[in-house]
Amino acid sequence: MTRYRSFVAVGDSFTEGLNDPGTDGHFRGWADRVAERLATLEPEFRYANLAVRGKVIDQIVADQVPVAMAMRPDLVSFCAGGNDLLRPGSDPDRMAKKVAAAVRELRGAGADVLMFTGVDPRDTPIMRRARGKFATFYLHLRSIADLSGSLLVDQWSMQGLRDWRAWSDDRLHMNEHGHRMVAAKVLDVLGVPPEDDWRKVWPPRERVDPSAKRREDAQWLREHFTPWLGRRLRGTSSGDNVTAKRPDLIPFEAEDL
C-alpha cells in the first residue's frame, strides 16, 4: 500500500462534491472523504481540491492542471469530460486526446494519476440516447490509463450507482450515498482499506405509483432540466462565479469537512 503525503483533486462538480453537504456552504464529496482516510495514515498529509462545477476539459486543463503540477503532489485525481459530453457536437476522440496530453504532463511531473470512467447512462432519460458516445470516451480513458500507468476507477461497473437512491434530485449529481460509494471504490483502487463497501446492494424499492412518477418527472423538468437548458442556450455555466473550495495544498484537518 502506497502512503501518500499529498493529494490534489482537479475536475468539475463530481470532484467538487455536489451534492454531498459539507460545512460552511461547501460540499464534501468523494475526494474529501478519500483525503480524510489518507490523512489517518500519514500525519503530514496535505490536500487541495481545485475542482469547480460546470467546467469542461479545456478549462480544467488550462486553469487547474498547471496549478496542480506546481504543487508537486504525490497523487492527482483527474476527472473531466462529463460536461463536454452533454454538449451537442462533442467528439469523444478529440476529448480523449486532450485528456491524454494532460495525463502525460501530470505523470511527467512525477505524480500518480487517478482517472475515472463515468457511470453507465442507460438509466438516464436524456443521456441514454448518447450512450455510445459516452462508452467510446470511457474506453479511451481506460486506454489512456493503461498506456500512462495511471490508476483507474471504473464507475461503469458500480451497479449500486445505477439506483436513483445514490443520486440527488437533479439526477446529474450524486448525493451523500453515491459519494460514499465512490470514495470506497477509490480507496480500494489505491489499496487502502475503505470503511464502506462500494459494492452496495440496495434493498428492494416499493412500487411507485405511475401518477406520482409523472409528477416527479414534471418537477424535475421545471426545477432542474429547464434551468440547465437555459444556461446552455445563454452560454453560461453554474461555475462561472465559483472558485475552488480548497485552492491551497495545506495540511488536512477533519474539521474542514
Side-chain angles (χ1 to χ4, degrees):
M1 178 180 67
T2 302
R3 294 173 68 98
Y4 292 104
R5 299 183 62 186
S6 52
F7 168 36
V8 177
V10 303
D12 52 28
S13 58
F14 168 68
T15 303
E16 184 186 344
L18 274 69
N19 283 319
D20 180 7
T23 58
D24 298 329
H26 294 300
F27 293 103
R28 190 176 183 185
W30 68 265
D32 286 11
R33 294 177 180 278
V34 168
E36 182 179 24
R37 182 72 178 93
L38 295 179
T40 65
L41 305 175
E42 175 53 59
E44 299 181 2
F45 180 78
R46 296 175 298 151
Y47 169 54
N49 191 318
L50 309 178
V52 175
R53 68 197 73 171
K55 299 305 181 183
V56 295
I57 291 174
D58 286 344
Q59 293 170 314
I60 293 168
V61 170
D63 301 334
Q64 298 179 28
V65 169
V67 177
M69 291 177 61
M71 292 176 175
R72 303 194 66 82
D74 299 331
L75 176 68
V76 176
S77 67
F78 181 95
C79 185
N83 292 309
D84 299 76
L85 288 167
L86 291 173
R87 284 164 166 73
S90 58
D91 183 340
D93 298 329
R94 294 180 62 186
M95 290 165 55
K97 290 181 180 179
K98 297 175 182 179
V99 171
V103 170
R104 282 196 299 269
E105 288 190 30
L106 291 167
R107 291 288 289 143
D112 283 354
V113 176
L114 187 69
M115 298 176 61
F116 296 78
T117 72
V119 179
D120 186 349
R122 64 183 294 182
D123 304 308
T124 306
I126 293 176
M127 293 188 286
R128 66 185 173 204
R129 295 185 178 182
R131 191 183 183 210
K133 182 166 68 172
F134 280 77
T136 298
F137 181 61
Y138 298 153
L139 283 172
H140 277 309
L141 297 184
R142 295 188 68 89
S143 176
I144 293 167
D146 284 344
L147 292 171
S148 65
S150 298
L151 301 163
L152 182 71
V153 177
D154 184 8
Q155 294 184 91
W156 191 283
S157 67
M158 297 178 66
Q159 296 300 302
L161 292 180
R162 291 184 55 194
D163 192 294
W164 285 115
R165 284 171 284 187
W167 297 81
S168 57
D169 291 341
D170 67 7
R171 304 181 183 180
L172 286 173
H173 301 101
M174 296 174 189
N175 58 24
E176 174 187 348
H177 303 295
H179 279 284
R180 290 180 72 95
M181 279 191 283
V182 172
K185 177 71 170 180
V186 170
L187 290 168
D188 192 24
V189 169
L190 294 177
V192 178
E195 297 177 351
D196 299 302
D197 187 0
W198 63 265
R199 300 176 183 83
K200 183 177 179 68
V201 178
W202 294 91
R205 299 191 66 171
E206 295 182 1
R207 183 178 181 276
V208 178
D209 179 73
S211 61
K213 181 64 168 61
R214 287 192 294 270
R215 287 194 298 271
E216 285 183 9
D217 290 343
Q219 182 179 7
W220 173 77
L221 283 169
R222 182 174 62 255
E223 296 181 2
H224 299 289
F225 179 71
T226 300
W228 175 84
L229 182 61
R231 289 195 298 272
R232 297 285 80 75
L233 294 175
R234 294 190 301 271
T236 60
S237 167
S238 59
D240 284 345
N241 298 309
V242 179
T243 57
K245 66 179 182 180
R246 195 179 175 94
D248 302 310
L249 187 61
I250 57 177
F252 179 87
E253 300 292 344
E255 53 264 29
D256 293 345
L257 305 177

